[in-house]
Amino acid sequence: MPDLSRYKGIVFDMDGTLIDSMGAHGKAWQKTCEQYDYPYDGEYIHNLGGVPTRDIVGMLNQKHDLNHDLDEVTETKRQAFLELDDSPTVIDDTFAIMQRYQGILKMGVGTGSERGNAINMLTATGLLDRVETVVTATDVKQGKPHGETFLTVAKNMGLAAEECVVFEDTEIGRQAAQNAGMDCIMVVNGKIVLP
């Protein structure tokens, strides 16, 4: 377990970092891609973890020279995710960090998910009551890899960027932490990877 005593706050990404939900997102994206004739590339979609859905739709349009309505496809993906009977589960390694530093360090969540989805998942897993703030794609103008999500979490906790460490599972998320001026610890396949 990493020693976080030099920090005052922890910022957790949600999907794939705190909650094992990336498989469900992949299934929802696959269904959405089939409906809109985007060739489905699971690895490409997974590597965009943390990027707001609407932005991913724009990237898919550009990549495949299509012009689907961003809001329509975003809503289709959201509905496909909600229709899955896939109960989210907590990722043990990051939950252990949360338990270890509960009441010692401030904690927040910075996610590329929409607010309603994030609150539902954090509530269903019992994590919502453990964090001081949740910042979602709905709450920022610029999603990951921009640093705004993580900077807003730090601000809401009353901390400076350099006082926080981020836990992330994607390269886009690592870039967002770097762009926010925060240290980042990676979570790969549910396991914390120490630098």
Side-chain angles (χ1 to χ4, degrees):
M1 179 175 292
D3 178 7
L4 305 181
S5 58
R6 67 188 186 97
Y7 302 103
K8 293 184 179 177
I10 305 172
V11 182
F12 293 101
D13 170 54
M14 186 180 74
D15 295 302
T17 300
L18 261 184
I19 299 175
D20 185 7
S21 54
M22 293 302 278
H25 280 289
K27 290 175 193 169
W29 271 117
Q30 185 170 7
K31 184 175 178 182
T32 303
C33 286
E34 288 168 1
Q35 184 171 333
Y36 289 94
D37 294 323
Y38 296 119
Y40 177 69
D41 180 343
E43 185 175 344
Y44 175 77
I45 293 292
H46 183 270
N47 288 336
L48 292 175
V51 176
T53 302
R54 193 173 192 278
D55 294 352
I56 293 174
V57 175
M59 294 163 87
L60 288 170
N61 274 345
Q62 186 174 11
K63 182 177 181 181
H64 300 294
D65 198 28
L66 294 167
N67 195 27
H68 294 301
D69 182 85
L70 301 182
D71 294 324
E72 178 187 324
V73 180
T74 298
E75 180 59 21
T76 299
K77 190 269 177 179
R78 188 179 79 82
Q79 288 300 327
F81 181 79
L82 292 174
E83 288 167 10
L84 290 170
D85 186 22
D86 197 49
S87 298
T89 57
V90 172
I91 293 175
D92 292 336
D93 275 24
T94 45
F95 185 61
I97 295 286
M98 187 177 263
Q99 289 178 304
R100 164 71 179 85
Y101 289 99
Q102 197 78 54
I104 299 169
L105 300 180
K106 294 183 176 187
M107 295 183 205
V109 170
T111 176
S113 286
E114 300 298 318
R115 175 158 281 282
N117 177 53
I119 297 301
N120 288 343
M121 290 183 66
L122 290 166
T123 301
T125 52
L127 298 175
L128 186 62
D129 293 338
R130 294 178 171 269
V131 297
E132 290 189 31
T133 184
V134 177
V135 176
T136 70
T138 314
D139 307 314
V140 296
K141 287 186 173 63
Q142 300 181 80
K144 300 173 190 178
H146 193 278
E148 183 182 359
T149 300
F150 296 148
L151 289 170
T152 305
V153 173
K155 180 182 170 194
N156 291 353
M157 295 190 300
L159 299 175
E162 60 272 13
E163 296 176 309
C164 298
V165 61
V166 173
F167 282 81
E168 256 291 355
D169 70 310
T170 65
E171 175 59 22
I172 296 274
R174 190 196 64 73
Q175 290 172 19
Q178 184 176 31
N179 291 335
M182 298 179 185
D183 291 337
C184 184
I185 296 173
M186 295 301 292
V187 180
V188 178
N189 296 322
K191 298 293 177 194
I192 291 170
V193 178
L194 296 175

